[in-house]
Amino acid sequence: MAKTLIAFFSRADENYFGGSMRYVKVGNTEIVCNLMGEMIDADSFKIEMEEPYSPDYMTCIDQAKKDLRAKARPQLTNYLDGIDDYDTIVLAYPNYWGTMPMAVFTFLERYDFTGKTILPLCTNEGSGMGSSERDIPKAAPGAVVKSGLPVNGSRAADSKGIVSEWLKSNGLI
């Protein structure tokens, strides 16, 4: 039986919302993933860094930029035993400097995605998917990477309709 995994990176604390900063207890990507979890039968895995970025937004983006330039692969707090049981992986993340957070690369490079379908979902404040749809196949060779869904982070809580349509178009609903 086909199984689906929702693997996501999300950041709470101080975040950018359409021109201003706001503190949030749950990150936008996690909000969208929680909505997905109500719509489809899927396991969920939160990608978390052993040494998380600063709760201060400006410091966080500086740290993320430094990691991107260094092609860092931060250690994660935990890892899945494997992904053999999954046929489809919904991979959700915020847009960090035009691509995925480096922790998402750590996750992708740890497993063999050959023959797996990856559905990327990227929360952002206007920068869309960035280069992430091109970066995923490099980090997960052998995966079938479908067209991603950009979700405006400020509207994460109101994204159920577009997420549902995207899941339907990919055969998960």
Side-chain angles (χ1 to χ4, degrees):
M1 182 168 152
K3 284 184 72 176
T4 301
L5 172 68
I6 300 170
F8 69 96
F9 179 95
S10 189
R11 183 181 168 280
D13 300 321
E14 187 180 44
N15 275 316
Y16 180 78
F17 288 87
S20 64
M21 306 298 180
R22 191 168 77 211
Y23 180 86
V24 296
K25 291 183 179 184
V26 178
N28 297 324
T29 307
E30 188 167 357
I31 290 169
V32 176
C33 290
N34 288 340
L35 291 173
M36 266 193 281
E38 296 170 5
M39 293 183 248
I40 63 173
D41 181 26
D43 293 338
S44 183
F45 178 76
K46 186 172 184 178
I47 301 167
E48 296 180 278
M49 296 176 9
E50 225 171 59
E51 296 180 28
Y53 292 136
S54 171
D56 174 77
Y57 181 77
M58 296 309 288
T59 304
C60 169
I61 64 169
D62 287 343
Q63 292 169 320
K65 186 177 195 177
K66 181 181 174 190
D67 279 356
L68 174 66
R69 287 183 173 160
K71 295 182 175 28
R73 297 300 186 260
Q75 288 291 354
L76 306 182
T77 57
N78 62 342
Y79 297 88
L80 294 168
D81 290 335
I83 60 165
D84 292 347
D85 293 342
Y86 302 104
D87 298 311
T88 302
I89 294 88
V90 176
L91 184 66
Y93 48 87
N95 186 319
Y96 273 24
W97 293 106
T99 189
M100 305 170 288
M102 294 296 100
V104 177
F105 285 92
T106 300
F107 172 79
L108 289 173
E109 291 170 359
R110 185 170 181 94
Y111 305 101
D112 180 3
F113 285 87
T114 302
K116 309 287 183 192
T117 299
I118 298 177
L119 304 175
L121 182 146
C122 181
T123 57
N124 65 88
E125 285 299 311
S127 51
M129 300 293 294
S131 65
S132 65
E133 289 172 297
R134 292 185 305 279
D135 295 337
I136 293 169
K138 295 173 194 168
V144 175
V145 181
K146 300 283 187 128
S147 291
L149 178 66
V151 175
N152 184 288
S154 299
R155 297 188 189 108
D158 301 320
S159 65
K160 191 171 186 174
I162 61 167
V163 171
S164 175
E165 287 303 314
W166 180 67
L167 293 171
K168 284 178 190 171
S169 72
N170 284 288
L172 293 180
I173 294 181

